[in-house]
Amino acid sequence: MTVIPSLTLNTQDKMPMLGLGVYKATGPNEVETAISHALEAGYRMIDTASVYKNEDGVGRAIKSSSIPRSELFITTKVWNTAQRIGNVDGAFERSLERLQLDYVDLYLVHWPVPGCYLDTWRSLEKIYQSGRAKAIGVSNFEIHHLQELFEISGIVPAVNQIEYHPLWNRSELACYCQQHNIAVQAYAPLARGAYSQRDVLIRIGEKYGKTAVQVGLRWMIQKGISVIPKSVHPERIRSNADIFDFELTEIDMKTIDAMDEQFQSSGVPDDMK
């Protein structure tokens, strides 16, 4: 079993550097089975969202696990619809019910819905202050969104979850977040498989006996970025965690930095376009 290191959030809570993303894991028992394999492999962080429609399955997987709740890190997110109708607290309570939890470790604003996200953040502040979320953060926020948040709030987001990978390294945004003590977490860190056959990563991987995907994940880890690759396949879940027994050189890191082509692998919701 892999021992996964953590980073310390601005709340002083520990967040694992690697977790399991469960986006689109909605088949019969699919999310429960994936989480079971992930927990066996050493994962302790599970990332879901209300819009993923699988919080119930995540809750069942947590309930059936023998791992103490205190050792798990559970993230979920408020969707755009709840932001627009001003029902963030109700959405959060429904997420807790589906997850069968008294609290989550991290609650995120899924998208910066125009005209809504500042009010949404105020609602998250109250949830945080109530203890029902140990940390609160954002997802898909750019620098200007964060700056607007700072103007109305004394609570700095603990995390900004963004698409990040070797083909889109978001260097300015990531640096801004880290300078302001906001942890960066990469969703779609595999770019939906877009770099798994890239020669440059394959060649680097050959030096360490690793795959191109493992090299890409390791590159993010060495930048201090937490990753949440999605998989429901046991062998891939284990392989994605096998990234803590080698270290890329400075030349390797710069070579991968140079791969950036601003390739966005994930879609933007229609109501955010």
Side-chain angles (χ1 to χ4, degrees):
M1 186 179 78
T2 301
V3 176
I4 296 170
S6 297
L7 56 80
T8 302
L9 301 177
N10 60 25
T11 58
Q12 301 310 305
D13 294 292
K14 302 279 190 187
M15 182 175 76
M17 291 297 290
L18 171 77
L20 180 72
V22 297
Y23 176 59
K24 288 190 174 178
T26 54
N29 296 315
E30 190 173 39
V31 74
E32 294 96 320
T33 302
I35 290 173
S36 175
H37 287 299
L39 294 176
E40 284 179 19
Y43 289 66
R44 293 297 179 264
M45 177 165 59
I46 310 299
D47 178 271
T48 185
S50 60
V51 77
Y52 297 172
K53 305 299 183 189
N54 59 16
E55 288 174 316
D56 298 88
V58 173
R60 287 191 294 272
I62 294 168
K63 200 83 170 175
S64 64
S65 166
S66 60
I67 296 167
R69 170 68 183 95
S70 61
E71 294 181 17
L72 298 174
F73 192 102
I74 309 300
T75 300
T76 193
K77 313 174 192 79
V78 60
W79 185 240
N80 302 352
T81 311
Q83 294 190 59
R84 287 203 166 88
I85 64 176
N87 189 25
V88 174
D89 202 66
F92 178 71
E93 285 298 333
R94 288 189 291 277
S95 285
L96 281 186
E97 287 172 15
R98 289 190 288 265
L99 290 164
Q100 302 181 60
L101 297 176
D102 298 323
Y103 70 92
V104 293
D105 298 273
L106 179 63
Y107 195 48
L108 301 178
V109 183
H110 207 148
W111 286 89
V113 176
C116 299
Y117 65 86
L118 296 180
D119 287 335
T120 299
W121 185 252
R122 291 185 181 100
S123 296
L124 261 66
E125 288 179 317
K126 292 174 183 173
I127 290 169
Y128 171 63
Q129 288 159 351
S130 75
R132 293 174 294 162
K134 286 193 169 185
I136 54 174
V138 296
S139 182
N140 299 297
F141 274 48
E142 301 292 340
I143 291 173
H144 69 93
H145 298 123
L146 294 168
Q147 289 171 333
E148 288 180 24
L149 217 59
F150 295 155
E151 290 175 8
I152 62 110
S153 175
I155 298 178
V156 176
V159 173
N160 187 12
Q161 191 183 100
I162 57 175
E163 178 172 351
Y164 188 106
H165 45 71
L167 304 183
W168 196 26
N169 67 35
R170 320 294 295 277
S171 56
E172 184 182 5
L173 176 57
C175 286
Y176 180 88
C177 288
Q178 292 175 334
Q179 286 168 0
H180 288 80
N181 205 18
I182 301 169
V184 178
Q185 187 168 64
Y187 74 77
L190 310 183
R192 310 285 194 256
Y195 63 80
S196 64
Q197 299 301 316
R198 293 290 181 107
D199 287 345
V200 62
L201 294 176
I202 290 171
R203 285 198 303 271
I204 291 172
E206 285 171 350
K207 294 193 297 181
Y208 305 101
K210 299 294 181 180
T211 67
V213 164
Q214 289 169 329
V215 169
L217 290 172
R218 180 67 201 181
W219 169 79
M220 287 173 262
I221 295 292
Q222 285 185 213
K223 286 180 173 286
I225 292 169
S226 173
V227 295
I228 45 170
K230 182 257 175 172
S231 182
V232 296
H233 304 288
E235 67 282 1
R236 289 185 197 157
I237 289 171
R238 288 190 295 271
S239 177
N240 289 341
D242 189 20
I243 57 174
F244 299 103
D245 60 351
F246 75 109
E247 187 166 342
L248 298 170
T249 66
E250 187 176 345
I251 293 173
D252 293 335
M253 294 292 287
K254 288 180 177 176
T255 300
I256 300 169
D257 288 347
M259 293 179 66
D260 182 37
E261 54 190 54
Q262 298 183 22
F263 171 73
Q264 185 170 1
S265 68
S266 56
V268 176
D270 290 337
D271 62 355
M272 286 294 298
K273 292 176 181 174

